[in-house]
Amino acid sequence: GAGVSQTPSNKVTEKGKYVELRCDPISGHTALYWYRQSLGQGPEFLIYFQGTGAADDSGLPNDRFFAVRPEGSVSTLKIQRTERGDSAVYLCASSRTGYTGELFFGEGSRLTVL
Amino acid sequence: KQEVTQIPAALSVPEGENLVLNCSFTDSAIYNLQWFRQDPGKGLTSLLLIQSSQREQTSGRLNASLDKSSGRSTLYIAASQPGDSATYLCAGAEPLNTNAGKSTFGDGTTLTVKP
């Protein structure tokens, strides 16, 4: 596609529920990143994919968070047993290559856990 | 651990003024530095990317510089316009031999340009 696409744009869920957030990167971009942004703060790194593999998942806060990119294109961020503290905007970015690549972000998925 | 700081947190200027936004980072071994613009409720729009071997990049009224030795980058906006009002964020990418691909962001400077 023309840009990075994220769905849903807004998700409201109850504490303890399971959530999936989807990211469709720019066509041909091999690198994909997930970030989380809280109000008034800069994005915080979660995970980075190069192709199908997670090259760096050091930012995932705990084992309730998991992300996949099975075919090297679309990625899904999965959050189990959601907590109120998970409420944030989840941003996805892609770049043509890793390392030196310019990051292009989607509009984000706003997650609210009640 | 890389830390990125942007000061001031907010800035208000009259239309037409030239201005400089500051970004400082603690680890000079960044691979590149990127400046972004974020409008309320939106994602980040890339403005300029400076590779570690470069000292500056220009795009229209924007000029970004990078001084790795001092751990600083600046974004210069010429002849500011009300449409420039947004939050501006900088991000430093980790070197290849460490956490390759990870970028650390500052918390941004929120700019208001008054007509």
Side-chain angles (χ1 to χ4, degrees), chain A residues 97-110:
Chain A
T97 64
Y99 312 142
T100 62
E102 183 177 5
L103 295 178
F104 295 91
F105 279 84
E107 294 288 291
S109 293
R110 180 176 299 277

Side-chain angles (χ1 to χ4, degrees), chain A residues 51-72:
Chain A
T52 60
D56 181 0
D57 64 358
S58 62
L60 295 177
N62 51 59
D63 61 6
R64 296 187 297 105
F65 288 75
F66 189 70
V68 295
R69 194 185 186 199
E71 298 179 356

Side-chain angles (χ1 to χ4, degrees), chain A residues 34-36 44-49 54 56-68 76-79 90, chain B residues 102:
Chain A
W34 284 98
Y35 285 81
R36 178 169 70 174
E44 174 189 23
F45 172 79
L46 295 177
I47 187 169
Y48 156 55
F49 287 91
D56 181 0
D57 64 358
S58 62
L60 295 177
N62 51 59
D63 61 6
R64 296 187 297 105
F65 288 75
F66 189 70
V68 295
T76 304
L77 178 65
K78 308 180 180 192
I79 309 173
Y90 289 81
Chain B
K102 173 182 176 180

